[in-house]
Every structure is written in structure tokens, then in C-alpha cells.
């Protein structure tokens, strides 16, 4: 669980299907890099923001789920949580004074972090992705598997992580992900072992 940051969603498809994240002409397959992170990883990466800024000119923007209408302070505290973040290069970033829930636009694709959390003892072994509301069997995701990857333009092997059962997850979310499609998966997907598509 600790220090887990694994490739997710569209990037996981490209990694397994095309065996690449960038086209041969140098263009990226997607306008962002999707990752799933555990809460401890999310917290660790946020603490690295000064280092990313000072050394690479990258920053982080974080989205919270807030519940101002809840009167009870304890309940309000439970819902005021960080649910999603984007690590993005400041170079070329089109800043907006009011941060809307839109894709970050910059010189390079943002790295998006979707937080995975356990949802309680009554549903032990289930993880919820807090931004899109997807549910996953924990053992389909964790422990993450190492995925050494050589990408054109890099002189070092990238030590990536992918889910424990990547293909099973993609089958559940996308159906036939082996065939190219512009369709996104449905938000709130339930990919738990008891009901997932076979």
C-alpha cells in the first residue's frame, strides 16, 4: 500500500495494448497520464511539491470534496477530503483564477492522481476511487506489480507500477479494450469480484 502509484485507465490500455505511451512521431497518446494512488502515496507526493517546483518547474493542483451544507462538524470534516490531484508543468500552463474541473493545459501532459480508499469494514477488500466513484476489488489492484518500461527518448528504464490484475480490471471497465475506441468507461463502475463482468 505504501508508495503505490500505478498506471491507470487510458494509460494502462496504451501500456498493455500499444506497448507505448507516445506515438512514433513524438506525440502523446493522451493529454494526461492517469495513475491510481493510495492515500499514503498521495500525501507523500504532495509533500514533494517544493522539490518538483524548484528542480523541474512542476507544481500540483488538488481538488477537494467539500460539504459546506453539513452542520455537524465531525461529518463535515469527514467529507472535506482531497480526492484528486494533477502534477503539471508550469511552462505553458493556462492559468485560471477560478479553478474549474477541467483538464490542465500545459506544455506537457499532466500526471493525474486518482485516490483509492478502503470504504469500511462492512465491505472489506473493496477500494473506492474518490474522483469518479469507481469500486474495485482490492486484490485486483494491490499489491501493485513492477513494470519496467523502455520508452523512446529516455535513456533509462522507467520503473512503472501496474495493478495486480490489470487485464481483469480493463475487461470490467471497458469490455473489449484490445480494439481502439474513443469511448470512456462509465463513471461509478463496479469492478468487484462478486459482480464484475467475466
Amino acid at each position: 500500500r505504501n508508495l503505490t502509484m500505478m498506471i491507470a485507465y487510458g494509460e494502462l490500455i496504451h501500456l498493455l495494448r500499444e506497448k507505448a505511451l507516445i506515438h512514433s512521431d513524438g506525440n502523446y497518446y493522451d493529454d494526461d497520464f492517469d495513475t491510481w494512488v493510495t492515500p499514503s502515496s498521495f500525501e507523500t507526493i504532495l509533500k514533494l511539491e517544493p522539490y518538483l517546483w524548484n528542480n523541474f518547474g512542476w507544481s500540483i493542483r488538488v481538488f477537494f470534496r467539500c460539504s459546506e451544507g453539513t452542520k455537524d462538524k465531525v461529518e463535515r470534516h469527514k467529507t472535506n477530503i482531497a480526492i484528486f490531484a494533477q502534477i503539471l508543468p508550469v511552462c505553458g500552463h493556462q492559468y485560471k483564477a477560478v479553478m474549474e474541473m477541467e483538464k490542465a493545459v500545459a506544455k506537457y501532459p499532466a500526471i493525474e492522481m486518482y485516490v483509492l480508499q478502503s470504504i469500511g469494514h462492512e465491505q472489506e477488500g473493496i477500494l473506492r476511487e474518490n474522483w469518479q466513484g469507481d469500486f474495485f476489488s482490492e486484490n485486483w489492484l494491490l499489491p501493485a506489480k513492477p513494470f519496467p518500461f523502455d520508452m523512446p527518448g529516455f535513456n533509462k528504464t522507467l520503473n512503472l507500477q501496474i495493478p495486480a490484475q490489470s487485464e481483469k480490471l480493463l475487461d470490467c471497465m471497458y469490455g473489449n479494450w484490445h480494439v481502439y475506441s474513443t469511448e470512456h468507461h462509465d463513471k461509478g463502475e463496479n469492478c468487484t469480484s462478486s459482480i464484475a463482468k467475466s
Side-chain angles (χ1 to χ4, degrees):
R1 283 181 173 275
N2 293 331
L3 302 182
T4 294
M5 185 180 190
M6 61 189 123
I7 303 299
Y9 297 124
E11 270 52 58
L12 186 57
I13 290 178
H14 295 307
L15 202 60
L16 298 183
R17 187 179 65 199
E18 281 84 27
K19 306 292 190 290
L21 298 173
I22 299 176
H23 289 284
S24 58
D25 62 5
N27 290 318
Y28 296 92
Y29 274 103
D30 287 334
D31 51 10
D32 53 43
F33 288 105
D34 301 317
T35 67
W36 283 310
V37 296
T38 55
S40 61
S41 302
F42 190 75
E43 183 178 2
T44 298
I45 293 166
L46 293 184
K47 290 177 179 177
L48 289 173
E49 199 273 345
Y51 176 84
L52 295 172
W53 170 259
N54 291 325
N55 291 276
F56 306 105
W58 285 59
S59 189
I60 300 176
R61 69 176 187 174
V62 181
F63 293 84
F64 291 83
R65 176 180 293 127
C66 300
S67 181
E68 295 297 334
T70 304
K71 293 181 179 179
D72 184 275
K73 288 184 179 180
V74 174
E75 289 303 312
R76 188 164 65 243
H77 175 71
K78 287 180 182 178
T79 56
N80 291 347
I81 56 173
I83 57 173
F84 174 70
Q86 295 167 317
I87 308 171
L88 65 154
V90 174
C91 181
H93 178 222
Q94 297 177 9
Y95 173 78
K96 294 182 180 179
V98 178
M99 300 303 281
E100 300 175 5
M101 291 189 296
E102 297 177 352
K103 289 185 178 291
V105 178
K107 185 176 180 180
Y108 301 105
I111 300 169
E112 304 202 325
M113 298 188 293
Y114 298 87
V115 184
L116 299 165
Q117 286 192 309
S118 299
I119 60 173
H121 297 296
E122 69 278 3
Q123 291 180 288
E124 193 171 348
I126 304 297
L127 296 175
R128 183 177 193 271
E129 189 266 277
N130 285 326
W131 178 255
Q132 302 189 89
D134 298 324
F135 292 89
F136 303 108
S137 286
E138 183 173 337
N139 61 6
W140 289 15
L141 286 159
L142 301 173
K145 292 169 58 175
F147 192 91
F149 180 66
D150 293 311
M151 190 162 72
F154 285 77
N155 57 9
K156 291 184 179 180
T157 297
L158 299 178
N159 294 307
L160 305 178
Q161 294 179 323
I162 62 173
Q165 300 187 53
S166 297
E167 295 199 7
K168 187 179 285 189
L169 274 170
L170 293 177
D171 288 344
C172 175
M173 288 188 290
Y174 298 96
N176 187 7
W177 55 274
H178 298 278
V179 177
Y180 176 78
S181 172
T182 57
E183 296 292 320
H184 288 77
H185 83 290
D186 294 331
K187 291 184 179 180
E189 195 74 67
N190 193 333
C191 290
T192 56
S193 54
S194 60
I195 63 93
K197 303 166 192 174
S198 59

